[in-house]
Amino acid sequence: MKKTGLFGGTFDPVHNGHLAIGRAALRQLALDVLYFIPAASPPHKDERRITPFPHRVAMLRLAVAGEPRFVVSEVEGLRSGPSYTIDTLAHFRRSRERETEFFFLIGLDAFAEITTWKRYGELLHSASFVVINRPSHGCQSVASVVAGSFPDYEAEAEGVWKKEGSNRIYSLAMAPSPVSSSMVRQRLGRGEAVDDLLPPGVPAYLRQHRLLGAA
Ligand code: ATP
């Protein structure tokens, strides 16, 4: 069985926390490949303030350059309208052989709002969910989000929940990363350095294209 990870987000811009999550997921879940999937039109964010999709893709490509199992997917750029995860999961299921197990990575801040996602109850039919703790965002625990949003799931082991006939929910064990794209944008807005928060190549790209106020 091939194991494929899917990591959706706005990536405006991609930061070291995203890569740390990707590396922890590769290791702990023994993934064969991890797709970073930037949202062309994130349903939960104000589109006017988002860096154009091709720039976010280009920065992701720079960020994953050293890791052969990280791949950037532009699939959400091929669809019009809001980028819904349910449609992206359907795309990957259609395009891969049957013997692929999918793992969708999601930060706890986003998972805590999962009931606002399109057809959220069906998401787990297509992929297991892997939740990354994010103490900097002061969310409730993974266990309490599972209990509230997926009440028919029960604990199977420490950090694992299951329901008969559906995919599992996992809590990814990794040291928390306090980095966020908002933190990067705020620092840039104040004219501060961001090189320590970003993968190599990304700060220079931001400066070269004068994105997010980088100078
Ligand atoms: P913003 O600050 O603009 O909201 P972000 O840092 O959350 O951005 P996104 O691209 O929106 O970055 O995140 C993609 C996914 O990665 C989301 O599920 C988010 O919760 C998760 N994520 C991003 N950074 C972290 C982090 N440091 N720890 C845990 N999860 C994270």
Side-chain angles (χ1 to χ4, degrees), residues 49-123:
R49 302 165 132 221
I50 293 174
T51 301
F53 184 71
H55 283 311
R56 289 183 285 122
V57 170
M59 289 188 279
L60 272 165
R61 290 202 191 290
L62 290 170
V64 305
E67 173 52 74
R69 285 186 289 168
F70 287 173
V71 176
V72 180
S73 166
E74 293 189 56
V75 62
E76 295 195 348
L78 305 175
R79 296 198 304 264
S80 55
S83 307
Y84 293 118
T85 296
I86 192 81
D87 300 328
T88 300
L89 294 180
H91 162 84
F92 275 94
R93 285 223 77 89
R94 272 197 307 273
S95 59
R96 293 298 177 286
E97 62 272 27
R98 284 199 162 275
E99 312 72 47
T100 301
E101 192 178 358
F102 290 100
F103 295 85
F104 185 80
L105 311 187
I106 183 168
L108 180 53
D109 56 310
F111 187 61
E113 304 194 337
I114 195 74
T115 56
T116 66
W117 290 28
K118 184 180 169 190
R119 290 168 39 207
Y120 90 94
E122 294 170 43
L123 294 168

Side-chain angles (χ1 to χ4, degrees), residues 18-182:
H18 293 129
L19 293 189
I21 290 166
R23 292 192 189 105
L26 276 189
R27 212 175 32 247
Q28 284 180 42
L29 304 166
L31 300 178
D32 297 289
V33 59
L34 173 60
Y35 289 93
F36 288 76
I37 312 168
S41 176
H44 293 99
K45 304 209 177 177
D46 179 355
E47 210 179 321
R48 284 163 301 168
R49 302 165 132 221
I50 293 174
T51 301
F53 184 71
H55 283 311
R56 289 183 285 122
V57 170
M59 289 188 279
L60 272 165
R61 290 202 191 290
L62 290 170
V64 305
E67 173 52 74
R69 285 186 289 168
F70 287 173
V71 176
V72 180
S73 166
E74 293 189 56
V75 62
E76 295 195 348
L78 305 175
R79 296 198 304 264
S80 55
S83 307
Y84 293 118
T85 296
I86 192 81
D87 300 328
T88 300
L89 294 180
H91 162 84
F92 275 94
R93 285 223 77 89
R94 272 197 307 273
S95 59
R96 293 298 177 286
E97 62 272 27
R98 284 199 162 275
E99 312 72 47
T100 301
E101 192 178 358
F102 290 100
F103 295 85
F104 185 80
L105 311 187
I106 183 168
L108 180 53
D109 56 310
F111 187 61
E113 304 194 337
I114 195 74
T115 56
T116 66
W117 290 28
K118 184 180 169 190
R119 290 168 39 207
Y120 90 94
E122 294 170 43
L123 294 168
L124 279 150
H125 297 172
S126 298
S128 290
F129 266 50
V130 180
V131 186
I132 303 101
N133 201 2
R134 209 171 188 188
S136 55
H137 283 52
C139 317
Q140 44 184 326
S141 68
V142 181
S144 59
V145 178
V146 173
S149 305
F150 301 95
D152 41 2
Y153 269 70
E154 51 188 52
E156 180 182 43
E158 177 76 30
V160 186
W161 293 264
K162 70 159 188 174
K163 178 184 135 178
E164 198 56 42
S166 191
N167 286 294
R168 286 180 169 74
I169 301 170
Y170 297 90
S171 174
L172 189 75
M174 66 173 280
S177 157
V179 188
S180 66
S181 298
S182 317

Side-chain angles (χ1 to χ4, degrees), residues 192-206:
E192 296 170 11
V194 288
D195 297 45
D196 56 323
L197 306 179
L198 301 179
V202 174
Y205 187 96
L206 287 169

